[in-house]
Amino acid sequence: MINEPTHRVHAFCDDALGDLDSVGVAAAVAAGDISAREAAQAAVDRAAVVNPTLNAIQHPDFDRGLARSDGPLSGILAGVPSFIKDNTDVAGLPSDQGSLAVRSRPATADHRFTEQFRSTGLGVLGKTTMPEFGFNASTEWETLAPTRNPWHTDYSPGGSSGGSAALVAAGVVPIAHGNDGGGSIRIPAAACGLVGLKPTRGRVVPAAESATLPVDVVSNGVLTRTVRDTAHFMAGTQQFLPAAGMKPLGLVEGPSERRLRVGLVLDSVTGPTDDDGRRAVLATVDRLTALGHDVTEVPIPGDAVAFMGAFTHYWALLGFSTQHFGKRVMHSPDFEKGATDQLTRGLARTFWRHAWRTPGAIRVLKQSEQSYRDAFTDIDVIVSPTLGYVTPKLGHLNPAAGFEVHFDRLIRYAAFTPLNNAAGGPAISLPLAQTADGRPVGVHFSAVHGNEQTLLELAYELEADTPFARIQA
């Protein structure tokens, strides 16, 4: 482990995992250079070194994970160790949803997405931390130690897939599960210097809660350090269950020669982007132009003010449903309503005061799909910041700040990502810049429904043009 004056922490070393990505590990296992057990043991050993600092593992499952690594291997990423986020059922492990209010019992079966995840060949070593019910964009709690960002441990790793992001960025595993209901893959990807793809709605098996939502905003996916890892994972999911009703997605293996029409969005409806985010996007625009792409400034799709009002109301609706119907919503007969945090309780209160807005808010969110599609009539991709401002220090997005202060900060922070969740379109955050003190800054790309291929091809091109910063450099 390197623990530098900047509080940077990682686990990269000369073991079976080395500095390989998932594709590299799978190739080494297939060639017999290492065994799947050696890869899994290296991940366990790395976790022992850095997790006491990062606090990114909610439920370790090392013994079972190591035992399973000795079994038959199949799948595009066979033999690669990984983790699943703590809101997705894994047989034999609880799903605590990041909340002290949940007293869940070990799941009796894998969720269907967990089956899809395992079908790619990934081995599960446990479950990762998340903020309460995934409502926060930072993985921290009022009364518990936070999950820390390995690039600088004073800072947030983002959320809600912050535990997975921290483990991947620190080199414990090369890939880990995340899901995204308002930016929860892309935000921690931006915070931790990773690739974070939110797939098109319906591209992979939906989250457990999706069936009960009036607007399904949640997509499953992964966080990785390389574009090819994300591309291989997505190809593997389609071998398990091809997405119905959209363009097939096979293995995307590199950039395309096609030059794109790129729309530029610099500021959100919640306010101007901070200087680091603005510089990152404008530098990316210069790179895109130099590579031959045509970049033109465009408006935010649809009525951005109406959309943000509708999405924040929907956020509050989810908080109200959880607070008052937690036993049913969380499948937790021991749910303790009084143990939720200030964010969940504040969302519930906010919804109750404005419950009459619900039909209109749902209508706006459903209409956003068409306005989003229309935005791609004359362009192929939209580029924007991932975040309204770069990742803050721990405490800034802590529920202990009080609901009004905390929620205002959240809305300005997660300003760009929610549209893709409501509209259902794919988006990816790429680690294309850094702050002056070396912390990652993400840049966000969106495409029309079903067009993950274009996003991955462009991501390959940008990764090759200027390789992503490495935490161990």
Side-chain angles (χ1 to χ4, degrees):
M1 179 183 72
I2 297 174
N3 194 345
E4 300 174 350
T6 55
H7 308 289
R8 187 179 292 188
V9 173
H10 70 75
F12 287 99
C13 60
D14 186 19
D15 59 9
L17 292 176
D19 64 356
L20 297 171
D21 66 357
S22 298
V23 175
V25 173
V29 171
D33 297 333
I34 61 173
S35 68
R37 175 174 273 269
E38 287 172 327
Q41 186 63 59
V44 170
D45 294 342
R46 290 182 177 201
V49 173
V50 298
N51 194 59
T53 299
L54 298 179
N55 187 36
I57 299 174
Q58 181 68 20
H59 296 295
D61 197 23
F62 298 156
D63 289 344
R64 289 200 307 167
L66 287 167
R68 286 191 180 117
S69 70
D70 292 328
L73 300 176
S74 63
I76 198 168
L77 297 175
V80 178
S82 189
F83 286 82
I84 285 183
K85 186 176 173 182
D86 193 34
N87 59 0
T88 301
D89 281 353
V90 174
L93 296 179
S95 294
D96 291 335
Q97 305 286 335
S99 177
L100 294 174
V102 175
R103 296 289 183 271
S104 65
R105 293 144 192 197
T108 58
D110 284 346
H111 182 262
R112 181 67 167 160
F113 173 77
T114 303
E115 295 177 359
Q116 186 175 42
F117 186 86
R118 292 189 196 271
S119 77
T120 66
L122 294 172
V124 177
L125 291 175
K127 302 186 79 174
T128 58
T129 55
M130 57 179 287
E132 183 166 279
F133 309 122
F135 292 152
N136 198 359
S138 182
T139 306
E140 47 189 306
W141 304 268
E142 288 180 307
T143 59
L144 302 176
T147 298
R148 296 181 179 275
N149 190 322
W151 285 86
H152 193 310
T153 55
D154 289 345
Y155 285 79
S156 169
S160 62
S161 306
S164 291
L167 293 178
V168 174
V172 174
V173 290
I175 186 171
H177 167 235
N179 44 37
D180 191 315
S184 290
I185 290 173
R186 293 160 288 157
I187 291 168
C192 292
L194 303 174
V195 177
L197 173 70
K198 185 208 85 69
T200 303
R201 179 164 49 218
R203 174 65 78 183
V204 301
V205 171
E209 60 269 35
S210 293
T212 63
L213 294 176
V215 181
D216 179 10
V217 295
V218 185
S219 294
N220 280 305
V222 289
L223 293 121
T224 69
R225 297 191 298 266
T226 64
V227 176
R228 70 176 188 170
D229 274 5
T230 297
H232 278 70
F233 175 80
M234 290 303 301
T237 65
Q238 301 307 284
Q239 293 171 11
F240 176 83
L241 183 66
M246 68 181 77
K247 178 183 176 182
L249 179 65
L251 178 58
V252 182
E253 298 186 85
S256 169
E257 294 183 1
R258 183 167 70 102
R259 299 299 85 188
L260 303 175
R261 301 162 299 170
V262 180
L264 167 64
V265 173
L266 266 179
D267 296 312
S268 75
V269 69
T270 66
T273 302
D274 73 350
D275 291 342
D276 283 308
R278 183 175 291 268
R279 279 193 294 268
V281 174
L282 291 176
T284 300
V285 167
D286 289 342
R287 291 166 63 184
L288 290 168
T289 302
L291 290 166
H293 302 287
D294 181 26
V295 183
T296 306
E297 195 162 354
V298 298
I300 300 171
D303 184 335
V305 174
F307 173 82
M308 187 55 72
F311 193 87
T312 55
H313 182 79
Y314 194 70
W315 204 341
L317 167 62
L318 299 180
F320 178 85
S321 299
T322 302
Q323 179 69 17
H324 293 285
F325 306 103
K327 289 186 178 183
R328 184 165 72 246
V329 173
M330 293 293 114
H331 305 289
S332 174
D334 302 317
F335 183 84
E336 297 180 18
K337 180 178 178 179
T340 58
D341 67 18
Q342 291 189 58
L343 177 55
T344 300
R345 296 195 303 272
L347 289 169
R349 290 193 306 269
T350 299
F351 172 79
W352 188 244
R353 288 197 298 266
H354 305 288
W356 57 272
R357 295 179 180 172
T358 303
I362 291 174
R363 183 168 59 252
V364 169
L365 296 184
K366 289 184 174 181
Q367 290 171 345
S368 70
E369 178 171 349
Q370 188 57 53
S371 60
Y372 180 92
R373 288 183 184 275
D374 292 343
F376 292 94
T377 302
D378 297 316
I379 58 174
D380 302 301
V381 170
I382 293 175
V383 61
S384 74
T386 304
L387 301 170
Y389 53 93
V390 293
T391 304
K393 284 191 172 182
L394 289 163
H396 182 78
L397 293 176
N398 193 302
F403 176 72
E404 285 74 19
V405 171
H406 182 202
F407 198 57
D408 178 68
R409 291 172 176 175
L410 276 176
I411 292 169
R412 290 186 289 114
Y413 184 58
F416 292 95
T417 50
L419 177 58
N420 299 85
N421 297 91
I428 193 168
S429 181
L430 299 176
L432 295 177
Q434 291 185 291
T435 62
D437 61 351
R439 290 178 292 114
V441 179
V443 178
H444 192 258
F445 300 86
S446 302
V448 77
H449 300 76
N451 203 8
E452 288 90 348
Q453 179 175 338
T454 293
L455 293 178
L456 291 168
E457 288 171 345
L458 182 58
Y460 270 117
E461 186 173 17
L462 290 168
E463 182 184 35
D465 180 62
T466 305
F468 304 150
R470 299 162 63 87
I471 198 170
Q472 66 271 43

